[in-house]
Amino acid sequence: MGRRRRRVTFLYDRAVAELLVFRGAGVAMEIGIVGLPNVGKSTLFNALTSGHAASSNYPFTTIEPNVGVVTVPDSRLQRLTDLFRPKKTTPAAIRFVDIAGLVKGAASGEGLGNKFLAHIREVDAIIHLVRLFRDPDVVHTLGDVDPRRDMDVIETELALADLGSVEKQVDKVSGKAKSGDKAAAQQLVTLEKLKTGLSAGKPARALGIPEKDLREFFLLTSKPVLYVGNTDEKPDQNMVSDFEAAAAERGGGSIVLCGKIEAEIIQLSEEDRGPFLADLGLKETGLERVIVAAYKLLRQQSYFTAGPDEVRAWTITQGMRAPQAAGVIHTDFEKGFIRADVYRYEDIERHGTEVALRERGLIRSEGKDYVVQDGDVCFFKFNN
């Protein structure tokens, strides 16, 4: 089933956005931001995209998901721009989806739960935003701040939705397995393991089942997840440590940031951001860490094309071979692929020009079996 197209509410670069919205699934990857109401999802989304998603002190401010295209921070792109001085520079980008807050009972339809779960089902990975801040002016729908409980509420609702799906699939596969269908029998083994784990409230990703075996069941809790803790300006370190431990137990990575500070940083000019971060003892914003972590969460990486007209970062999935990587630029590149001239970013950074690289034999000619690496600079040759 094809992903339903959504209206993009804010575009950093219209050309990048159009590429992401209308190209194939290998490029148009989406990260959904989920969490309980009033944990700061819309604030995070606004800061990520500098957009205008509604943000208010009451549940369900967001009902239809907002979508924003965000460029991926990459210092290599700026260095290549300095070397080639192109007419245009285009960064890699990723889409974030601000999904309305889930509540206890969502799996059985509470709080428009079925609609929200459907939105989560459409994304490729999840940012689970968890409230670590105390603010009497922002109500907590469960009364007080308790990160583990809050994480459990969301995970339980997703697990219950998955459990219902798994039980239906068990019923469907059991008959085939009993009749001697070996593939169905193997599926049934995996489904029974999933049923046991989900019944215990564990996410599918934490059950030790290989990703390739999980993929065919389209489960919410099998999606890669990054837990983001939204703290006070002066974080409670005990709470932060417990949050990070809880994220690891659930099979996800974790990042901690202060949404309020990030919202302030995004309003500063480029000239003012550096000194502001330095005063905080930071080299990069929390948002930059989230974007890069989200990119890696989807097993995405960048290769570059570089010349006088444009320097560009292209998004591919790790392990992609040269013809498929060329196809991200245009399908004709993949169909007529002959070879790729490739060199490493580190080499041109060190030696400064492609002429210098050729003199040193650092530009390679690669064929159809070459697996493109993060940081490769590629020039594809193809038949029209």
Side-chain angles (χ1 to χ4, degrees):
M1 183 182 296
R3 179 184 291 130
R4 186 179 43 168
R5 289 177 180 170
R6 301 191 185 95
R7 181 173 59 88
V8 178
T9 58
F10 179 83
L11 311 181
Y12 263 92
D13 180 304
R14 185 167 299 276
V16 173
E18 288 174 353
L19 174 74
L20 285 171
V21 172
F22 298 113
R23 299 260 329 177
V27 180
M29 307 299 277
E30 288 187 345
I31 303 279
I33 304 173
V34 305
L36 292 173
N38 290 354
V39 298
K41 294 185 307 302
S42 293
T43 298
L44 176 64
F45 178 82
N46 290 344
L48 279 168
T49 64
S50 297
H52 306 287
S55 179
S56 302
N57 181 25
Y58 56 90
F60 311 121
T61 301
T62 306
I63 296 177
E64 289 299 330
N66 297 301
V67 182
V69 178
V70 178
T71 56
V72 178
D74 193 332
S75 59
R76 299 174 299 185
L77 195 66
Q78 183 57 54
R79 177 60 176 153
L80 288 171
T81 297
D82 293 341
L83 291 173
F84 284 88
R85 300 186 182 280
K87 298 174 184 176
K88 181 181 179 182
T89 298
T90 305
I94 195 167
R95 284 196 293 188
F96 285 91
V97 183
D98 177 21
I99 297 172
L102 290 177
V103 297
K104 191 172 183 178
S108 57
E110 293 293 329
L112 302 178
N114 292 333
K115 189 172 186 178
F116 300 159
L117 290 170
H119 292 152
I120 296 171
R121 201 174 298 280
E122 292 181 358
V123 301
D124 301 293
I126 295 169
I127 285 179
H128 183 164
L129 188 63
V130 181
R131 180 168 172 170
L132 306 185
F133 66 89
R134 295 183 175 92
D135 186 341
D137 295 328
V138 181
V139 298
H140 193 300
T141 55
L142 299 180
D144 59 351
V145 177
D146 184 339
R148 279 184 178 268
R149 178 207 59 206
D150 293 354
M151 295 164 80
D152 283 342
V153 168
I154 297 296
E155 290 288 356
T156 297
E157 295 306 320
L158 299 183
L160 286 172
D162 280 348
L163 181 60
S165 174
V166 165
E167 288 174 340
K168 290 178 182 177
Q169 293 184 70
V170 166
D171 292 341
K172 183 177 180 181
V173 170
S174 293
K176 294 181 180 179
K178 289 177 182 177
S179 67
D181 187 319
K182 292 182 179 179
Q186 185 58 51
Q187 279 186 321
L188 188 60
V189 170
T190 302
L191 285 167
E192 291 293 353
K193 187 173 182 178
L194 284 166
K195 184 177 177 180
T196 300
L198 291 167
S199 297
K202 296 180 180 179
R205 78 182 75 83
L207 297 178
I209 300 172
E211 183 183 346
K212 61 180 178 62
D213 295 335
L214 280 177
R215 201 175 297 136
E216 62 183 303
F217 301 118
F218 303 102
L219 301 177
L220 298 171
T221 63
S222 68
K223 294 178 184 292
V225 63
L226 174 69
Y227 295 92
V228 177
N230 188 7
T231 72
D232 292 303
E233 292 184 32
K234 293 183 179 180
D236 180 330
Q237 291 303 325
N238 290 330
M239 186 182 292
V240 168
S241 296
D242 190 47
F243 160 74
E244 292 173 337
E249 291 165 11
R250 290 161 172 76
S254 62
I255 287 176
V256 174
L257 53 75
C258 175
K260 281 186 178 180
I261 291 177
E262 297 298 326
E264 290 176 15
I265 292 173
I266 206 68
Q267 300 300 322
L268 298 174
S269 66
E270 290 292 335
E271 296 76 20
D272 292 336
R273 283 187 196 179
F276 186 83
L277 288 172
D279 288 344
L280 296 173
L282 301 173
K283 293 183 179 179
E284 58 186 352
T285 68
L287 295 178
E288 288 171 336
R289 290 187 290 119
V290 168
I291 295 167
V292 172
Y295 197 62
K296 292 180 179 178
L297 187 67
L298 288 170
R299 297 181 59 249
Q300 302 296 286
Q301 64 185 30
S302 297
Y303 76 85
F304 304 101
T305 52
D309 290 328
E310 183 180 31
V311 166
R312 186 166 193 153
W314 298 91
T315 299
I316 60 171
T317 302
Q318 293 172 17
M320 191 173 281
R321 299 184 185 277
Q324 290 71 49
V328 170
I329 299 175
H330 197 286
T331 53
D332 287 348
F333 283 30
E334 180 176 359
K335 294 175 183 177
F337 179 87
I338 299 174
R339 69 177 187 273
D341 288 344
V342 182
Y343 57 84
R344 297 292 300 157
Y345 162 78
E346 291 82 3
D347 289 332
I348 196 162
E349 182 187 36
R350 184 179 303 114
H351 299 293
T353 67
E354 290 183 344
V355 171
L357 297 187
R358 290 192 186 280
E359 290 173 350
R360 290 168 173 80
L362 294 174
I363 299 180
R364 312 181 311 276
S365 181
E366 301 287 358
K368 293 182 178 181
D369 292 331
Y370 177 68
V371 176
V372 177
Q373 302 298 307
D374 183 61
D376 277 351
V377 182
C378 301
F379 178 78
F380 296 107
K381 298 182 179 180
F382 67 101
N383 285 319
N384 291 320

